[in-house]
Amino acid sequence: MPDIGGIAGERLRAFIERIERLEDEKRALAEDIKEVYAEAKGSGFDTKIMRQLIRIRRMDQDDVDEQETLLDLYKRAVGMVPDQAPESAAAD
Amino acid sequence: MPDIGGIAGERLRAFIERIERLEDEKRALAEDIKEVYAEAKGSGFDTKIMRQLIRIRRMDQDDVDEQETLLDLYKRAVGMVPDQAPESAAAD
Amino acid sequence: MPDIGGIAGERLRAFIERIERLEDEKRALAEDIKEVYAEAKGSGFDTKIMRQLIRIRRMDQDDVDEQETLLDLYKRAVGMVPDQAPESAAAD
Amino acid sequence: MPDIGGIAGERLRAFIERIERLEDEKRALAEDIKEVYAEAKGSGFDTKIMRQLIRIRRMDQDDVDEQETLLDLYKRAVGMVPDQAPESAAAD
DNA sequence: AACGTTGAAATAGTTC
DNA sequence: GAACTATTTCAACGTT
């Protein structure tokens, strides 16, 4: 670590302040997002479902499929078979 | 809930897209922050300590307000109500 | 509020301590749960999926269905139609 | 991942059930806590202030350790390394 | 009983 | 890839 208190102290402060400024902007954006959700809720939409939707859109489709497959597998392993049997497992 | 598929579908999409745009910006900011940390690290600074420092500064800032609230609460709990009377408890 | 500092202060303390004791036990239980997850992970299970599974088991089946329906509805409203069309929507 | 449907299915179920049992106990404890608050409220105490008090007591306790960590960190940040040398930074 | 607010749980990201 | 931290999500609570 460079000597703190000397010239390096100045550099450190500069870095810190740059980061803090960026974080402020990030926080402001988070606020905006919250407000949009609030507005959507005020219009009668279910924000929890909206969040799920956005998450799914963001995720890679392969990952979505993989998670679903795994969940399904686990469900069957513990005897929680969903409505339809995914690969005729219930038949035999 | 508004009828999906009709006009409400449009509104929902608009909300979703607004949020996604804001989240993109937020993600970009997070990238920027990461880069600043990388640069600081390249200059020999310990990013873990930097993160702690920033966290402390943020909390200290938050605490200024909160501590006052807490102190106020304490005072009320022991019956030492400060200047303004928060509730007309003393009246009757 | 009863007069603090007198006999009521004693009662308050008793309440506080009872609660704190219960919260300690609650925290201990949370620790235990975490450990079981860690053990399951060590055995090769995907804890994220396990959590989903447990959540689903806990939820009322009606709620599970309702959420899925709603998510599906929202998906279609924003043009994110899943693989199969739930009610022959893709046919025409 | 162990093969689902075989012996691993049993293990998974065992884990799930252990967790669910622990969560039941945890929920029961949460109930108890709620009841104590209700009783306190019935005795005329302000539960909001009680919650704050408990939160403060808990944080104060936690802070004892954390403040030391923080102080240590600060010292390192300004080059005032305490007793033990955390990393051989000065060596090379 | 809907609302916003807070606290806890879960997930994502970062560092080593 | 394991541990730690930060963020995000979810549930509980009191309030109106």
Side-chain angles (χ1 to χ4, degrees):
Chain A
M1 174 172 49
D3 69 293
I4 306 279
I7 180 106
E10 273 313 303
R11 284 210 74 190
L12 178 57
R13 255 192 71 183
F15 279 127
I16 298 278
E17 283 169 7
R18 262 170 78 195
I19 291 168
E20 285 179 337
R21 222 162 306 126
L22 291 166
E23 287 191 342
D24 284 346
E25 293 178 48
K26 190 154 152 275
R27 244 186 304 280
L29 242 12
E31 272 301 301
D32 292 347
I33 291 169
K34 244 179 75 181
E35 281 168 29
V36 179
Y37 274 117
E39 194 187 335
K41 180 173 192 167
S43 301
F45 292 104
D46 183 324
T47 57
K48 184 172 171 182
I49 305 291
M50 283 176 67
R51 284 173 202 276
Q52 283 184 246
L53 198 69
I54 287 172
R55 160 127 45 110
I56 291 169
R57 278 164 68 104
R58 190 173 48 226
M59 276 177 74
D60 197 312
Q61 189 53 41
D62 290 350
D63 293 344
V64 174
D65 293 345
E66 193 187 319
Q67 280 217 358
E68 279 179 12
T69 303
L70 207 47
L71 179 59
D72 197 70
L73 235 42
Y74 277 30
K75 276 182 183 169
R76 286 165 55 201
V78 298
M80 264 180 77
V81 186
D83 293 328
Q84 79 283 21
E87 30 179 348
S88 66
D92 49 0
Chain B
M1 174 183 44
D3 67 295
I4 306 280
I7 178 125
E10 274 313 303
R11 282 211 79 188
L12 178 58
R13 260 189 72 176
F15 280 127
I16 298 279
E17 284 169 6
R18 261 170 80 194
I19 290 168
E20 286 178 336
R21 222 163 306 128
L22 291 166
E23 286 190 342
D24 285 345
E25 294 179 47
K26 191 151 149 280
R27 244 184 304 280
L29 242 12
E31 273 300 301
D32 292 347
I33 291 169
K34 226 176 99 179
E35 281 168 27
V36 179
Y37 274 118
E39 195 187 333
K41 183 174 192 165
S43 301
F45 293 104
D46 182 327
T47 57
K48 186 174 176 181
I49 293 182
M50 283 177 67
R51 282 175 199 277
Q52 283 278 11
L53 230 58
I54 287 171
R55 179 165 154 262
I56 291 162
R57 278 163 66 104
R58 185 174 53 226
M59 291 184 77
D60 284 354
Q61 203 52 33
D62 292 352
D63 283 355
V64 173
D65 304 330
E66 188 171 11
Q67 288 302 343
E68 285 178 13
T69 305
L70 251 41
L71 180 59
D72 197 68
L73 226 41
Y74 266 132
K75 283 180 179 167
R76 287 172 58 197
V78 295
M80 258 185 70
V81 185
D83 296 326
Q84 78 288 17
E87 40 180 345
S88 55
D92 46 3
Chain C
M1 174 172 48
D3 69 292
I4 306 280
I7 180 108
E10 273 314 302
R11 285 210 74 190
L12 178 57
R13 255 191 72 184
F15 280 128
I16 298 278
E17 283 169 7
R18 263 171 78 195
I19 291 168
E20 285 179 337
R21 222 163 306 125
L22 291 167
E23 286 190 343
D24 283 346
E25 294 179 47
K26 190 154 151 274
R27 245 186 302 282
L29 242 10
E31 273 300 301
D32 291 348
I33 291 170
K34 246 178 73 180
E35 280 167 29
V36 179
Y37 274 117
E39 194 186 335
K41 180 174 192 168
S43 302
F45 293 104
D46 183 325
T47 57
K48 182 172 171 181
I49 304 292
M50 284 176 68
R51 284 173 202 274
Q52 283 184 247
L53 198 69
I54 288 172
R55 160 126 46 108
I56 291 169
R57 277 163 67 103
R58 188 173 50 226
M59 277 177 74
D60 197 312
Q61 188 54 41
D62 290 350
D63 293 344
V64 175
D65 294 344
E66 192 187 319
Q67 281 217 357
E68 279 179 13
T69 304
L70 208 47
L71 180 58
D72 196 69
L73 234 41
Y74 277 31
K75 277 183 183 169
R76 287 165 53 201
V78 298
M80 265 179 78
V81 185
D83 295 325
Q84 80 286 19
E87 32 179 348
S88 68
D92 47 1
Chain D
M1 174 181 45
D3 68 294
I4 306 280
I7 179 132
E10 275 313 303
R11 283 210 79 188
L12 178 57
R13 260 189 71 176
F15 279 126
I16 297 280
E17 284 170 6
R18 262 171 78 195
I19 291 168
E20 286 179 336
R21 223 163 304 127
L22 291 167
E23 286 190 343
D24 283 346
E25 294 179 47
K26 190 152 149 281
R27 243 186 304 280
L29 242 11
E31 272 300 301
D32 292 348
I33 291 170
K34 231 177 92 179
E35 281 168 28
V36 179
Y37 274 117
E39 195 187 334
K41 182 172 193 167
S43 300
F45 292 106
D46 182 328
T47 57
K48 186 173 178 183
I49 293 182
M50 283 178 68
R51 282 174 200 276
Q52 283 277 10
L53 230 58
I54 287 171
R55 179 165 154 263
I56 290 161
R57 279 163 65 106
R58 186 173 54 225
M59 291 185 75
D60 284 354
Q61 203 53 32
D62 293 351
D63 283 354
V64 173
D65 305 330
E66 188 171 10
Q67 288 301 345
E68 285 178 13
T69 305
L70 251 41
L71 180 59
D72 197 67
L73 225 41
Y74 265 133
K75 284 181 180 167
R76 286 173 57 196
V78 295
M80 260 184 69
V81 185
D83 296 325
Q84 79 288 18
E87 41 180 347
S88 54
D92 46 3

